[in-house]
Amino acid sequence: MPELPEVETIRRQLDPELEGLVVEELEILDPKWAQSARPSALADAVSGRVIEALDRRGKYLLLRLAGDGTLVMHLRMTGNLLLAGEKDGRPGSRQPGDARLYRPADEERHLRARLRLSDGRELWFTDPRRFGRGFLADPEELDAYFAARLGVEPLSEDFTPDLLAAVSEGRLAPLKSFLLDQSRLAGVGNIYADEALFRAGLHPLSPAGSMRPEHHVALRDAVVAALQAGLDNGGASIDDYRDSRGEKGSMQDEFLVHRREGLPCPSCGEEINRIVVSGRSTYFCPRCQVKLRRRPRRPRR
DNA sequence: CGCGCAACCTGTCTGC
DNA sequence: TGCAGACAGGTTGCGC
């Protein structure tokens, strides 16, 4: 479910709400949620600490705690992070179980971890498929963890055409697989990979290393534009995704090609095709998205 | 090291 | 109505 725009939407909503509050208690209802040898030790280590900020790296949410610790959370496929309850006991905010919230019974049924906050509210980590995880890391551990897994942030100034050229050089994997590889580019998932390749006019099966300089520019711009569209629409709610208030995003109504098999291409009217690339459904326009030839090797003298 | 695929889970939908 | 099978936003580990 959640890719960079969905995770960032949650972060932007929650960061100003959480700053300065104390996590009075972390309750882990599903021991599998804790990516830690002893879930009770994780709960104890987080309980009682002051929240400094909520940051994001790739699709990870980073709850910064006073004293150099970070509660790292990943929503994986179906996780949600909901802010529930009444601030300082005053009415107006939503309660867990509020009928206006998304399927309240299911939220409670799928509750995996709960942070009780010092203003009376609660942060709920819900997750039907139980892939989501949370763990505590100190700064050195966190650096090592991300260095091994995550590449450049696509919305940072470091994401340039030259960077894209460097990380794709010599790669034979299809562009679709390349965009899903978090160690090259962090935050793009199945939805925004399809949307970006359509915007760039590139075929999902073209080898990543076949791009020429104009393609590096086009794909960089397309990734940024696709992610920005997601942010502008509050994320995509195909099925489970909700923001921190339990509201749906609207990006699913703005998809250009993703999940639009058989529908007309917004640019040329040709029918959108669906193929499977490294196990993931992939949607593209066979007319607008050209397949690049493998780049010839530099001749040797 | 690069790459594809199964596995991890639960829920929903489709077709017989 | 029941049931089998396909499919779903992500990441990891294994085999080649």
Side-chain angles (χ1 to χ4, degrees), chain A residues 232-252:
Chain A
D232 292 344
N233 284 283
S237 295
I238 292 169
D239 190 16
D240 292 295
Y241 172 72
R242 297 297 184 276
D243 66 18
S244 69
R245 303 176 194 129
E247 305 278 359
K248 289 186 182 190
S250 59
M251 186 60 204
Q252 66 282 2

Side-chain angles (χ1 to χ4, degrees), chain A residues 126-291:
Chain A
T126 63
D127 185 9
R129 284 177 76 177
R130 303 173 68 204
F131 289 151
R133 294 289 181 270
F135 64 96
L136 188 65
D138 66 32
E140 297 76 40
E141 290 171 332
L142 204 53
D143 282 352
Y145 189 84
F146 287 149
R149 288 168 174 76
L150 299 184
V152 69
E153 278 293 321
L155 296 183
S156 77
E157 292 182 358
D158 295 338
F159 183 41
T160 60
D162 283 349
L163 184 285
L164 197 49
V167 296
S168 61
E169 187 183 358
R171 302 205 56 197
L172 296 175
L175 275 171
K176 175 65 182 274
S177 311
F178 168 75
L179 288 178
L180 295 177
D181 180 350
Q182 303 298 298
S183 72
R184 314 280 166 173
L185 186 61
V188 175
N190 206 36
I191 293 172
Y192 297 97
D194 285 355
E195 296 291 287
L197 289 171
F198 173 75
R199 286 170 181 266
L202 293 170
H203 196 288
L205 291 177
S206 293
S210 65
M211 287 188 290
R212 293 184 295 278
E214 65 267 31
H215 303 125
H216 299 133
V217 173
L219 186 56
R220 191 278 309 263
D221 291 349
V223 166
V224 172
L227 295 175
Q228 190 58 52
L231 282 169
D232 292 344
N233 284 283
S237 295
I238 292 169
D239 190 16
D240 292 295
Y241 172 72
R242 297 297 184 276
D243 66 18
S244 69
R245 303 176 194 129
E247 305 278 359
K248 289 186 182 190
S250 59
M251 186 60 204
Q252 66 282 2
D253 302 326
E254 309 295 328
F255 288 163
L256 302 173
V257 291
H258 187 72
R259 290 195 160 223
R260 295 181 57 80
E261 182 182 16
L263 294 171
C265 165
S267 178
C268 77
E270 179 71 296
E271 282 190 10
I272 302 299
N273 286 12
R274 173 187 180 271
I275 57 174
V276 174
V277 183
S278 56
R280 316 300 301 278
S281 279
T282 297
Y283 303 84
F284 69 102
C285 170
R287 192 183 292 172
C288 294
Q289 295 177 252
V290 299
K291 194 156 178 186

Side-chain angles (χ1 to χ4, degrees), chain A residues 22-174:
Chain A
V22 177
V23 181
E24 299 200 332
E25 188 185 8
L26 166 60
E27 278 181 89
I28 299 172
L29 294 98
D30 178 1
K32 274 188 64 87
W33 181 82
Q35 189 172 313
S36 138
R38 287 178 40 241
S40 60
L42 170 60
D44 290 346
V46 171
S47 299
R49 298 179 69 171
V50 175
I51 298 170
E52 293 183 334
L54 183 65
D55 294 333
R56 180 191 58 76
R57 176 79 172 90
K59 301 170 193 170
Y60 290 82
L61 282 165
L62 309 174
L63 192 71
R64 307 283 191 186
L65 303 171
D68 267 0
T70 300
L71 178 62
V72 183
M73 293 177 281
H74 199 300
L75 302 171
R76 294 283 185 102
M77 295 281 265
T78 53
N80 281 317
L81 200 57
L82 301 161
L83 184 59
E86 295 183 6
K87 192 174 183 175
D88 301 320
R90 270 186 254 108
S93 331
R94 296 181 171 212
Q95 290 280 6
D98 188 317
R100 291 172 302 173
L101 279 176
Y102 162 62
R103 298 188 301 179
D106 279 359
E107 280 174 24
E108 198 142 5
R109 184 155 61 100
H110 298 138
L111 186 59
R112 307 301 175 195
R114 169 164 53 198
L115 284 82
R116 225 158 35 75
L117 305 169
S118 52
D119 68 352
R121 290 185 291 184
E122 296 178 346
L123 204 53
W124 285 25
F125 193 116
T126 63
D127 185 9
R129 284 177 76 177
R130 303 173 68 204
F131 289 151
R133 294 289 181 270
F135 64 96
L136 188 65
D138 66 32
E140 297 76 40
E141 290 171 332
L142 204 53
D143 282 352
Y145 189 84
F146 287 149
R149 288 168 174 76
L150 299 184
V152 69
E153 278 293 321
L155 296 183
S156 77
E157 292 182 358
D158 295 338
F159 183 41
T160 60
D162 283 349
L163 184 285
L164 197 49
V167 296
S168 61
E169 187 183 358
R171 302 205 56 197
L172 296 175

